[in-house]
């Protein structure tokens, strides 16, 4: 059974989700899935808009997935506002909200993990042990539950997007994974559900992150050594008032391995802290021959 939150139909169970999606697919409609953890902002609404352009039907899922948070991370304080999110989705072109509870997703004796390998190992894989296994497992489940033709993910979580592309390919999941560009505030700060944690002083410092990434990307594109440019970028971020740097690195955009040959697209990626808030961002670097 689907219920309604305001005007938006909501499926709480896998069975209810499948009933809707199966009917749409039988009618020849193309279905897109936009997986989220809620606390929706304009970046999520850009995912919905992209999905609506590419598909006849759009399903958004909201599930704050416990298995992708480390023991000392912000699972308990992660912002949750289902009614507000449903109102935003109803005003966008979303046909169905899938909002299961944890028991629907994880049986008490759940014991299977999707482990993606090399692309999930560096960067966030190093600083958030277990994070990508949690993401890969829940995304695999969501794709198998909804069986969409298309699934849309934000490029802000660049490494996550590469992990998801790899798992869909390696496990032969019949879905087109589409990345959607980052939505930024006017001052360049990438939109994130975690931005609500920032104090006014931290919010004032935060835009330095994107300016620094753009500067590193420009220097590397102009021929600077990627490691030296990344090191200088990391120093600039700390000097601006960021309290801790997990990494600032230039990598192969797809494999996330060191960007040695520079003949394929590169990506500058950063994860850094402002007080208790961890921010991530990334910026493209064109290959040498382009
Ligand atoms: O990017 C997110 O919001 C989450 O990692 C995702 C993809 C919904 C999986 O829980």
């Amino acid at each position: 059974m689907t219920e309604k939150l305001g005007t938006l139909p909501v499926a709480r169970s896998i069975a209810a989700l499948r009933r809707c999606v199966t009917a749409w697919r039988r009618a020849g409609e193309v279905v897109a899935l936009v997986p989220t953890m809620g606390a929706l902002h304009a970046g999520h609404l850009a995912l919905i808009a992209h999905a609506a352009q590419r598909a006849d039907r759009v399903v958004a899922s909201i599930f704050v997935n416990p298995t992708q948070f480390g023991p000392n991370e912000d699972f308990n304080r992660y912002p949750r506002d289902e009614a507000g999110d449903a109102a935003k989705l109803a005003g966008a072109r979303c046909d169905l909200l899938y909002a299961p509870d944890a028991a629907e997703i994880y049986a008490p004796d759940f014991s299977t993990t999707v482990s993606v390998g090399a692309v999930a190992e560096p960067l966030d894989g190093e600083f958030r042990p277990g994070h990508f296994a949690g993401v890969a497992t829940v995304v695999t489940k969501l794709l198998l539950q909804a069986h969409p033709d298309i699934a849309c993910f934000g490029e802000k979580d660049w490494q996550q997007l590469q992990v998801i592309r790899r798992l869909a390919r390696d496990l032969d999941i019949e879905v087109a994974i589409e990345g959607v560009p980052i939505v930024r505030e006017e001052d360049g700060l990438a939109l994130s559900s975690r931005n609500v944690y920032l104090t006014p002083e931290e919010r004032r410092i935060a835009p330095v992150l994107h300016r620094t990434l753009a500067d590193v990307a420009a220097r590397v594109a102009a021929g600077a050594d990627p490691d030296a440019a990344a090191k200088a970028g990391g120093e600039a971020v700390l000097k601006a008032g960021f309290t801790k740097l997990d990494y600032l690195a230039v990598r192969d955009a797809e494999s996330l391995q060191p960007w040695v040959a520079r003949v394929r697209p590169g990506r500058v990626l950063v994860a850094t802290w402002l007080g208790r808030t961890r921010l991530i961002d990334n910026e493209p670097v064109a290959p040498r021959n382009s």
Side-chain angles (χ1 to χ4, degrees), residues 257-281:
Q257 302 306 309
W259 196 49
V260 182
R262 298 170 73 163
V263 289
R264 289 154 39 83
R267 205 88 191 173
V268 191
L269 303 107
V270 68
T272 183
W273 292 80
L274 264 173
R276 290 207 302 157
T277 308
R278 187 175 192 267
L279 297 180
I280 60 170
D281 201 347

Side-chain angles (χ1 to χ4, degrees), residues 34 42-55 58 92-93 152 180:
V34 178
H44 296 109
L45 299 182
L47 297 180
I48 301 286
H50 178 93
Q53 272 183 352
R54 301 274 288 109
V58 178
R93 239 222 61 194
C152 304
V180 177

Side-chain angles (χ1 to χ4, degrees), residues 65 67-70 73 124-125 128-136 157 160:
N65 173 36
T67 66
Q68 68 186 76
F69 290 80
E73 294 187 354
D124 263 18
R128 301 185 69 188
H131 169 66
F132 283 127
V135 169
D157 296 281
Q160 168 177 282

